[in-house]
Short mmCIF file of all heavy atoms in Angstrom, two decimals:
data_model
loop_
_atom_site.label_atom_id
_atom_site.label_comp_id
_atom_site.label_asym_id
_atom_site.label_seq_id
_atom_site.Cartn_x
_atom_site.Cartn_y
_atom_site.Cartn_z
N CYS A 23 5.56 -44.60 18.76
CA CYS A 23 6.74 -43.74 18.73
C CYS A 23 7.55 -44.05 19.99
O CYS A 23 7.09 -43.78 21.10
CB CYS A 23 6.33 -42.27 18.72
SG CYS A 23 7.69 -41.10 18.96
N SER A 24 8.73 -44.63 19.81
CA SER A 24 9.63 -44.89 20.93
C SER A 24 10.70 -43.81 20.95
O SER A 24 11.23 -43.44 19.89
CB SER A 24 10.30 -46.26 20.77
OG SER A 24 9.34 -47.29 20.79
N TYR A 25 11.02 -43.32 22.13
CA TYR A 25 11.99 -42.22 22.18
C TYR A 25 13.01 -42.44 23.30
O TYR A 25 12.73 -43.07 24.32
CB TYR A 25 11.28 -40.88 22.36
CG TYR A 25 10.55 -40.72 23.68
CD1 TYR A 25 11.18 -40.14 24.77
CD2 TYR A 25 9.23 -41.14 23.83
CE1 TYR A 25 10.53 -39.99 25.98
CE2 TYR A 25 8.57 -41.00 25.03
CZ TYR A 25 9.22 -40.42 26.10
OH TYR A 25 8.56 -40.28 27.31
N THR A 26 14.18 -41.89 23.06
CA THR A 26 15.24 -41.82 24.07
C THR A 26 15.70 -40.38 24.10
O THR A 26 16.16 -39.84 23.09
CB THR A 26 16.43 -42.73 23.69
OG1 THR A 26 15.96 -44.07 23.51
CG2 THR A 26 17.48 -42.70 24.79
N VAL A 27 15.55 -39.75 25.24
CA VAL A 27 15.94 -38.34 25.35
C VAL A 27 16.40 -38.08 26.77
O VAL A 27 15.87 -38.63 27.73
CB VAL A 27 14.76 -37.42 24.96
CG1 VAL A 27 13.60 -37.55 25.92
CG2 VAL A 27 15.21 -35.98 24.83
N SER A 28 17.40 -37.22 26.89
CA SER A 28 17.94 -36.88 28.20
C SER A 28 17.13 -35.75 28.81
O SER A 28 17.51 -34.59 28.72
CB SER A 28 19.41 -36.48 28.06
OG SER A 28 19.54 -35.48 27.06
N GLY A 29 16.00 -36.08 29.40
CA GLY A 29 15.13 -35.05 29.99
C GLY A 29 14.15 -34.53 28.96
O GLY A 29 14.48 -33.66 28.17
N LEU A 30 12.94 -35.04 29.00
CA LEU A 30 11.95 -34.67 27.97
C LEU A 30 11.32 -33.33 28.29
O LEU A 30 10.77 -33.11 29.37
CB LEU A 30 10.86 -35.75 27.90
CG LEU A 30 9.77 -35.51 26.84
CD1 LEU A 30 10.34 -35.67 25.44
CD2 LEU A 30 8.60 -36.47 27.05
N ARG A 31 11.41 -32.43 27.31
CA ARG A 31 10.68 -31.17 27.44
C ARG A 31 9.29 -31.33 26.87
O ARG A 31 8.32 -30.85 27.43
CB ARG A 31 11.41 -30.04 26.72
CG ARG A 31 10.60 -28.75 26.62
CD ARG A 31 11.39 -27.67 25.92
NE ARG A 31 12.38 -27.06 26.78
CZ ARG A 31 13.41 -26.35 26.34
NH1 ARG A 31 13.61 -26.23 25.05
NH2 ARG A 31 14.26 -25.79 27.19
N GLY A 32 9.19 -32.04 25.74
CA GLY A 32 7.90 -32.26 25.11
C GLY A 32 8.00 -33.26 23.98
O GLY A 32 9.07 -33.41 23.38
N LEU A 33 6.90 -33.96 23.73
CA LEU A 33 6.79 -34.88 22.60
C LEU A 33 5.67 -34.36 21.71
O LEU A 33 4.60 -33.96 22.20
CB LEU A 33 6.51 -36.30 23.06
CG LEU A 33 6.44 -37.36 21.94
CD1 LEU A 33 7.09 -38.67 22.38
CD2 LEU A 33 5.02 -37.59 21.44
N PHE A 34 5.91 -34.35 20.41
CA PHE A 34 4.99 -33.72 19.48
C PHE A 34 4.57 -34.71 18.39
O PHE A 34 5.36 -35.54 17.95
CB PHE A 34 5.65 -32.51 18.82
CG PHE A 34 6.48 -31.70 19.78
CD1 PHE A 34 7.86 -31.77 19.74
CD2 PHE A 34 5.88 -30.90 20.74
CE1 PHE A 34 8.64 -31.05 20.64
CE2 PHE A 34 6.65 -30.18 21.63
CZ PHE A 34 8.03 -30.24 21.59
N TRP A 35 3.33 -34.57 17.94
CA TRP A 35 2.85 -35.30 16.78
C TRP A 35 2.47 -34.31 15.69
O TRP A 35 1.83 -33.29 15.96
CB TRP A 35 1.63 -36.15 17.13
CG TRP A 35 1.95 -37.42 17.88
CD1 TRP A 35 1.90 -37.63 19.22
CD2 TRP A 35 2.37 -38.66 17.30
NE1 TRP A 35 2.26 -38.92 19.52
CE2 TRP A 35 2.55 -39.58 18.36
CE3 TRP A 35 2.60 -39.10 15.99
CZ2 TRP A 35 2.95 -40.90 18.17
CZ3 TRP A 35 3.00 -40.42 15.79
CH2 TRP A 35 3.17 -41.30 16.87
N TYR A 36 2.89 -34.65 14.47
CA TYR A 36 2.58 -33.83 13.30
C TYR A 36 2.00 -34.75 12.21
O TYR A 36 2.32 -35.93 12.14
CB TYR A 36 3.84 -33.17 12.73
CG TYR A 36 4.36 -32.02 13.56
CD1 TYR A 36 5.19 -32.25 14.65
CD2 TYR A 36 4.05 -30.70 13.24
CE1 TYR A 36 5.67 -31.20 15.41
CE2 TYR A 36 4.54 -29.63 13.98
CZ TYR A 36 5.35 -29.90 15.06
OH TYR A 36 5.83 -28.86 15.81
N ARG A 37 1.23 -34.13 11.33
CA ARG A 37 0.73 -34.82 10.14
C ARG A 37 1.37 -34.14 8.93
O ARG A 37 1.46 -32.91 8.88
CB ARG A 37 -0.79 -34.67 10.07
CG ARG A 37 -1.39 -35.09 8.74
CD ARG A 37 -2.83 -34.70 8.61
NE ARG A 37 -3.27 -34.92 7.24
CZ ARG A 37 -4.36 -35.59 6.90
NH1 ARG A 37 -5.15 -36.11 7.85
NH2 ARG A 37 -4.68 -35.76 5.63
N GLN A 38 1.81 -34.93 7.94
CA GLN A 38 2.39 -34.36 6.74
C GLN A 38 1.76 -34.98 5.51
O GLN A 38 1.81 -36.20 5.34
CB GLN A 38 3.92 -34.54 6.71
CG GLN A 38 4.58 -33.81 5.56
CD GLN A 38 6.09 -33.83 5.64
OE1 GLN A 38 6.70 -34.73 6.20
NE2 GLN A 38 6.73 -32.81 5.07
N ASP A 39 1.19 -34.13 4.68
CA ASP A 39 0.65 -34.56 3.39
C ASP A 39 1.74 -34.43 2.33
O ASP A 39 2.63 -33.58 2.46
CB ASP A 39 -0.58 -33.74 3.02
CG ASP A 39 -1.74 -34.02 3.96
OD1 ASP A 39 -2.17 -35.19 4.01
OD2 ASP A 39 -2.20 -33.09 4.66
N PRO A 40 1.67 -35.22 1.26
CA PRO A 40 2.72 -35.18 0.23
C PRO A 40 2.95 -33.78 -0.32
O PRO A 40 2.00 -33.06 -0.66
CB PRO A 40 2.18 -36.12 -0.85
CG PRO A 40 1.28 -37.06 -0.11
CD PRO A 40 0.65 -36.24 0.97
N GLY A 41 4.21 -33.36 -0.38
CA GLY A 41 4.56 -32.07 -0.95
C GLY A 41 4.29 -30.87 -0.06
O GLY A 41 4.43 -29.73 -0.49
N LYS A 42 3.90 -31.12 1.19
CA LYS A 42 3.59 -30.02 2.11
C LYS A 42 4.43 -30.11 3.37
O LYS A 42 5.01 -31.15 3.67
CB LYS A 42 2.11 -30.05 2.48
CG LYS A 42 1.17 -29.80 1.30
CD LYS A 42 -0.26 -29.67 1.77
CE LYS A 42 -1.18 -29.34 0.61
NZ LYS A 42 -2.59 -29.18 1.06
N GLY A 43 4.48 -29.00 4.10
CA GLY A 43 5.15 -29.02 5.38
C GLY A 43 4.30 -29.71 6.44
O GLY A 43 3.08 -29.81 6.29
N PRO A 44 4.92 -30.21 7.51
CA PRO A 44 4.16 -30.85 8.58
C PRO A 44 3.16 -29.91 9.22
O PRO A 44 3.38 -28.70 9.30
CB PRO A 44 5.25 -31.26 9.58
CG PRO A 44 6.51 -31.35 8.78
CD PRO A 44 6.38 -30.28 7.74
N GLU A 45 2.07 -30.50 9.69
CA GLU A 45 1.00 -29.76 10.37
C GLU A 45 0.93 -30.22 11.82
O GLU A 45 0.79 -31.41 12.10
CB GLU A 45 -0.34 -30.01 9.68
CG GLU A 45 -1.54 -29.40 10.36
CD GLU A 45 -2.85 -29.85 9.73
OE1 GLU A 45 -2.80 -30.47 8.65
OE2 GLU A 45 -3.91 -29.61 10.33
N PHE A 46 1.02 -29.27 12.75
CA PHE A 46 1.03 -29.59 14.17
C PHE A 46 -0.28 -30.24 14.61
O PHE A 46 -1.37 -29.78 14.24
CB PHE A 46 1.27 -28.32 14.99
CG PHE A 46 1.14 -28.52 16.48
CD1 PHE A 46 2.18 -29.06 17.20
CD2 PHE A 46 -0.03 -28.17 17.13
CE1 PHE A 46 2.06 -29.25 18.57
CE2 PHE A 46 -0.17 -28.36 18.49
CZ PHE A 46 0.89 -28.90 19.21
N LEU A 47 -0.17 -31.32 15.41
CA LEU A 47 -1.35 -31.98 15.97
C LEU A 47 -1.39 -31.84 17.50
O LEU A 47 -2.36 -31.33 18.04
CB LEU A 47 -1.35 -33.47 15.61
CG LEU A 47 -1.52 -33.83 14.13
CD1 LEU A 47 -1.34 -35.32 13.93
CD2 LEU A 47 -2.89 -33.37 13.63
N PHE A 48 -0.37 -32.36 18.20
CA PHE A 48 -0.41 -32.41 19.66
C PHE A 48 0.97 -32.14 20.26
O PHE A 48 1.99 -32.45 19.65
CB PHE A 48 -0.80 -33.82 20.15
CG PHE A 48 -2.11 -34.33 19.65
CD1 PHE A 48 -2.14 -35.38 18.74
CD2 PHE A 48 -3.31 -33.80 20.09
CE1 PHE A 48 -3.34 -35.89 18.28
CE2 PHE A 48 -4.52 -34.30 19.64
CZ PHE A 48 -4.52 -35.34 18.73
N THR A 49 0.96 -31.65 21.52
CA THR A 49 2.14 -31.65 22.38
C THR A 49 1.78 -32.41 23.65
O THR A 49 0.72 -32.16 24.25
CB THR A 49 2.58 -30.24 22.76
OG1 THR A 49 2.88 -29.50 21.59
CG2 THR A 49 3.83 -30.31 23.64
N LEU A 50 2.66 -33.33 24.07
CA LEU A 50 2.51 -34.05 25.33
C LEU A 50 3.74 -33.77 26.17
O LEU A 50 4.86 -33.79 25.66
CB LEU A 50 2.37 -35.56 25.08
CG LEU A 50 1.18 -35.98 24.20
CD1 LEU A 50 1.33 -37.43 23.78
CD2 LEU A 50 -0.13 -35.79 24.96
N TYR A 51 3.54 -33.52 27.48
CA TYR A 51 4.66 -33.08 28.31
C TYR A 51 5.11 -34.12 29.33
O TYR A 51 6.28 -34.15 29.70
CB TYR A 51 4.29 -31.79 29.04
CG TYR A 51 4.06 -30.61 28.14
CD1 TYR A 51 2.78 -30.19 27.81
CD2 TYR A 51 5.13 -29.90 27.62
CE1 TYR A 51 2.57 -29.10 26.97
CE2 TYR A 51 4.94 -28.80 26.78
CZ TYR A 51 3.65 -28.42 26.47
OH TYR A 51 3.46 -27.34 25.65
N SER A 52 4.17 -34.95 29.82
CA SER A 52 4.56 -35.87 30.90
C SER A 52 3.81 -37.19 30.76
O SER A 52 2.71 -37.25 30.19
CB SER A 52 4.28 -35.24 32.26
OG SER A 52 2.92 -34.89 32.38
N ALA A 53 4.42 -38.24 31.32
CA ALA A 53 3.84 -39.58 31.25
C ALA A 53 2.43 -39.58 31.84
O ALA A 53 2.18 -38.96 32.88
CB ALA A 53 4.73 -40.56 32.00
N GLY A 54 1.53 -40.24 31.13
CA GLY A 54 0.14 -40.31 31.57
C GLY A 54 -0.75 -39.30 30.88
O GLY A 54 -1.98 -39.39 30.95
N GLU A 55 -0.15 -38.34 30.22
CA GLU A 55 -0.93 -37.30 29.57
C GLU A 55 -1.58 -37.84 28.29
O GLU A 55 -1.00 -38.67 27.60
CB GLU A 55 -0.03 -36.10 29.23
CG GLU A 55 -0.78 -34.87 28.77
CD GLU A 55 0.13 -33.68 28.59
OE1 GLU A 55 1.35 -33.81 28.83
OE2 GLU A 55 -0.38 -32.61 28.19
N GLU A 56 -2.78 -37.36 27.98
CA GLU A 56 -3.50 -37.74 26.78
C GLU A 56 -4.08 -36.49 26.13
O GLU A 56 -4.48 -35.55 26.82
CB GLU A 56 -4.64 -38.72 27.09
CG GLU A 56 -4.20 -40.04 27.71
CD GLU A 56 -5.37 -40.97 27.96
OE1 GLU A 56 -6.54 -40.54 27.81
OE2 GLU A 56 -5.12 -42.15 28.31
N LYS A 57 -4.11 -36.48 24.79
CA LYS A 57 -4.72 -35.38 24.05
C LYS A 57 -5.58 -35.99 22.93
O LYS A 57 -5.21 -37.02 22.36
CB LYS A 57 -3.65 -34.47 23.43
CG LYS A 57 -2.81 -33.71 24.44
CD LYS A 57 -3.36 -32.35 24.75
CE LYS A 57 -2.54 -31.58 25.75
NZ LYS A 57 -1.35 -30.93 25.13
N GLU A 58 -6.69 -35.35 22.63
CA GLU A 58 -7.59 -35.85 21.58
C GLU A 58 -7.94 -34.74 20.60
O GLU A 58 -8.06 -33.57 20.99
CB GLU A 58 -8.89 -36.38 22.19
CG GLU A 58 -8.76 -37.72 22.88
CD GLU A 58 -10.12 -38.29 23.26
OE1 GLU A 58 -10.90 -38.64 22.35
OE2 GLU A 58 -10.39 -38.41 24.47
N LYS A 59 -8.13 -35.16 19.35
CA LYS A 59 -8.59 -34.24 18.32
C LYS A 59 -9.29 -35.06 17.26
O LYS A 59 -8.66 -35.84 16.56
CB LYS A 59 -7.41 -33.49 17.72
CG LYS A 59 -7.78 -32.51 16.62
CD LYS A 59 -6.51 -31.82 16.09
CE LYS A 59 -6.85 -30.82 15.00
NZ LYS A 59 -5.62 -30.14 14.49
N GLU A 60 -10.58 -34.89 17.18
CA GLU A 60 -11.42 -35.63 16.24
C GLU A 60 -11.17 -37.13 16.40
O GLU A 60 -11.40 -37.68 17.47
CB GLU A 60 -11.15 -35.14 14.81
CG GLU A 60 -11.52 -33.68 14.60
CD GLU A 60 -11.25 -33.18 13.20
OE1 GLU A 60 -10.65 -33.92 12.40
OE2 GLU A 60 -11.64 -32.04 12.91
N ARG A 61 -10.68 -37.81 15.37
CA ARG A 61 -10.51 -39.27 15.44
C ARG A 61 -9.14 -39.67 16.00
O ARG A 61 -8.80 -40.86 16.05
CB ARG A 61 -10.69 -39.87 14.03
CG ARG A 61 -12.10 -39.71 13.50
CD ARG A 61 -12.22 -40.27 12.09
NE ARG A 61 -11.45 -39.49 11.12
CZ ARG A 61 -11.85 -38.33 10.61
NH1 ARG A 61 -13.00 -37.80 10.98
NH2 ARG A 61 -11.10 -37.69 9.73
N LEU A 62 -8.34 -38.71 16.40
CA LEU A 62 -6.98 -38.97 16.87
C LEU A 62 -6.88 -38.78 18.39
O LEU A 62 -7.44 -37.84 18.94
CB LEU A 62 -5.99 -38.02 16.19
CG LEU A 62 -5.92 -38.08 14.67
CD1 LEU A 62 -4.95 -37.02 14.15
CD2 LEU A 62 -5.49 -39.46 14.20
#
Side-chain angles (χ1 to χ4, degrees):
Chain A
C23 171
S24 298
Y25 66 92
T26 304
V27 65
S28 52
L30 181 69
R31 171 179 282 162
L33 183 141
F34 320 105
W35 283 98
Y36 286 83
R37 168 191 171 129
Q38 187 172 27
D39 293 300
K42 296 187 177 181
E45 175 188 350
F46 173 80
L47 294 174
F48 303 110
T49 301
L50 301 167
Y51 295 101
S52 57
E55 190 174 0
E56 298 181 352
K57 294 267 180 81
E58 285 189 67
K59 179 180 180 179
E60 297 180 353
R61 295 178 292 282
L62 301 176

